[in-house]
Amino acid sequence: MKREQLIALVGPTAVGKTEIGIRLARELDGEVVSGDSMQIYKGMDIGTAKVMAEEMNGVPHHMIDIKEPEEPFTVADFQQAATSAIARIHEQGKLPILVGGTGLYVQAVTHEFDFAESESDETFRAEMEAFVSEYGEKALHQELALSDPAAGEAIHANNVRRVIRALEVMHVSGKRFSEQESTQPLPRYDVTMIGLTMERGRLYERINRRVDLMMEAGLEKEVRCLFENDVGGQAIQAIGYKELYAHFRGECSLDEAVDRLKQNSRRYAKRQLTWFRNRTNTTWFDVGESDRQTVFQKILEFVQEMTGNETNIEKEEKGRD
């Protein structure tokens, strides 16, 4: 059976995915599906670099502002909601464009991952969360590295949710987490994977500048509101929120928190690039090598070549003939 089409636009934070995704959607009669694990949360706008209504340029966006920060939302929940959104887009005869940098979430949509295979153990998870509170993230990650070195290498210590999940899966199944993830799932769609990248020094400058702009736009106020309302849970582990929470708890100065935010964002960008290069069949475009219009035209032509889709202008010209 022929699979339905999906464009996936991926890459590191601050590389310019939002703009390119919107432009592709406008040219190809598409709609955008966010592939970001944190943009689902309401009230977390500045720190997640959430696209604003005035930036959407009339393009419908999905998987944004669908949950309160206190509500739990797993990758399996994301998979179900995102694939449902994509199905609705297809039903309307539009082209879905998945835009994001959260590798596992993107891959959970593009491929047939079955997250129901491993049952959960709430008691064990609570024990691991208590362990983190008492001994810290690094100690928990060391437990994973000892039990499953491959998973320990693949999952960063700061990703506490993922570390706990890996340990939980091994606890329930008795098998190493890395061995269970090694089986390559089948693709769900006819996916065209596009990656955006640029020279690392220039990317890091963009990341640092973006953080400065976030602070100017009111990131401290946004996070303080969450802090003063005692909002906790997985949402607050996001980069941009955990650093300022530490400041509000008196653990560091505001300048130190901002420096950590920049450093963690740069490290995250590096991990994003590693994930997509190692785990996906992505065609990469350097968005720093020439002007944005030239690069966009190359991307548009590549998408048309891979999918056979016409631009709106081409459709109008055919209609007049």
Side-chain angles (χ1 to χ4, degrees):
M1 187 176 69
K2 186 178 180 181
R3 297 188 182 96
E4 292 180 307
Q5 290 182 347
L6 174 69
I7 308 302
L9 183 65
V10 302
T13 185
V15 79
K17 298 184 296 293
T18 299
E19 175 199 346
I20 297 293
I22 291 171
R23 292 188 66 183
L24 282 175
R26 283 184 60 81
E27 289 280 356
L28 299 170
D29 196 20
E31 297 188 4
V32 171
V33 180
S34 170
D36 187 286
S37 63
M38 291 298 160
Q39 292 188 358
I40 60 171
Y41 294 114
K42 300 174 183 177
M44 296 175 62
D45 303 332
I46 300 171
T48 63
K50 193 179 295 177
V51 60
M52 298 293 102
E54 58 270 20
E55 297 175 298
M56 293 180 184
N57 211 356
V59 173
H61 280 62
H62 305 264
M63 298 301 292
I64 291 175
D65 290 338
I66 63 173
K67 284 287 181 180
E68 298 294 338
E70 303 93 334
E71 295 182 88
F73 199 72
T74 67
V75 64
D77 295 330
F78 184 92
Q79 179 192 58
Q80 182 177 11
T83 53
S84 295
I86 290 170
R88 293 193 298 271
I89 295 169
H90 280 137
E91 287 170 3
Q92 297 168 20
K94 305 273 184 128
L95 178 66
I97 302 174
L98 182 65
V99 179
T102 308
L104 180 64
Y105 282 63
V106 169
Q107 202 168 21
V109 174
T110 60
H111 288 71
E112 298 278 0
F113 277 95
D114 185 0
F115 293 98
E117 289 181 358
S118 299
E119 297 179 1
S120 61
D121 185 328
E122 297 290 343
T123 301
F124 178 83
R125 193 181 304 166
E127 290 174 357
M128 293 299 98
E129 289 170 351
F131 182 92
V132 174
S133 298
E134 185 170 357
Y135 300 106
E137 298 175 358
K138 291 184 179 178
L140 179 75
H141 187 262
Q142 188 174 14
E143 292 293 316
L144 175 62
L146 290 171
S147 303
D148 186 347
E153 184 177 350
I155 303 172
H156 195 274
N158 290 345
N159 194 346
V160 176
R161 269 194 303 141
R162 192 72 178 142
V163 173
I164 290 177
R165 179 55 180 161
L167 290 167
E168 181 186 20
V169 168
M170 290 191 289
H171 171 75
V172 172
S173 68
K175 299 178 182 178
R176 286 186 172 184
F177 184 72
S178 60
E179 293 172 356
Q180 297 181 54
E181 284 218 321
S182 62
T183 303
Q184 289 296 319
L186 294 173
R188 189 188 305 273
Y189 306 103
D190 180 6
V191 183
T192 301
M193 291 285 295
I194 302 161
L196 305 184
T197 186
M198 66 173 55
E199 187 271 324
R200 185 166 295 179
R202 184 171 179 180
L203 177 63
Y204 287 176
E205 288 177 6
R206 285 175 62 93
I207 289 171
N208 292 339
R209 178 58 180 155
R210 172 186 267 192
V211 172
D212 290 335
L213 291 173
M214 285 178 172
M215 294 301 294
E216 292 173 14
L219 178 60
E220 182 183 3
K221 182 179 178 181
E222 176 177 282
V223 182
R224 187 179 290 279
C225 182
L226 297 169
F227 181 79
E228 291 179 347
N229 283 286
D230 200 28
V231 175
Q234 67 185 47
I236 305 307
Q237 294 304 311
I239 295 172
Y241 295 85
K242 61 183 179 182
E243 294 86 359
L244 287 173
Y245 259 53
H247 165 61
F248 298 145
R249 290 193 297 262
E251 297 170 10
C252 63
S253 69
L254 180 59
D255 287 343
E256 288 171 333
V258 172
D259 285 342
R260 290 178 187 176
L261 169 50
K262 290 178 179 179
Q263 182 181 61
N264 288 337
S265 297
R266 294 192 300 267
R267 288 174 175 171
Y268 179 53
K270 184 178 179 182
R271 294 198 301 274
Q272 287 174 300
L273 284 166
T274 300
W275 171 282
F276 288 114
R277 283 174 174 159
N278 292 346
R279 296 191 177 219
T280 64
N281 183 22
T282 300
T283 300
W284 293 91
F285 292 85
D286 189 331
V287 292
E289 67 178 6
S290 57
D291 67 275
R292 301 288 278 196
Q293 178 57 35
T294 300
V295 176
F296 175 74
Q297 196 60 40
K298 289 180 181 179
I299 294 171
L300 178 61
E301 290 171 0
F302 172 76
V303 171
Q304 289 187 275
E305 180 183 347
M306 297 298 293
T307 65
N309 284 294
E310 298 175 319
T311 66
N312 290 328
I313 292 175
E314 289 169 339
K315 290 177 182 177
E316 289 174 5
E317 289 176 348
K318 273 192 175 181
R320 288 195 295 266
D321 290 344

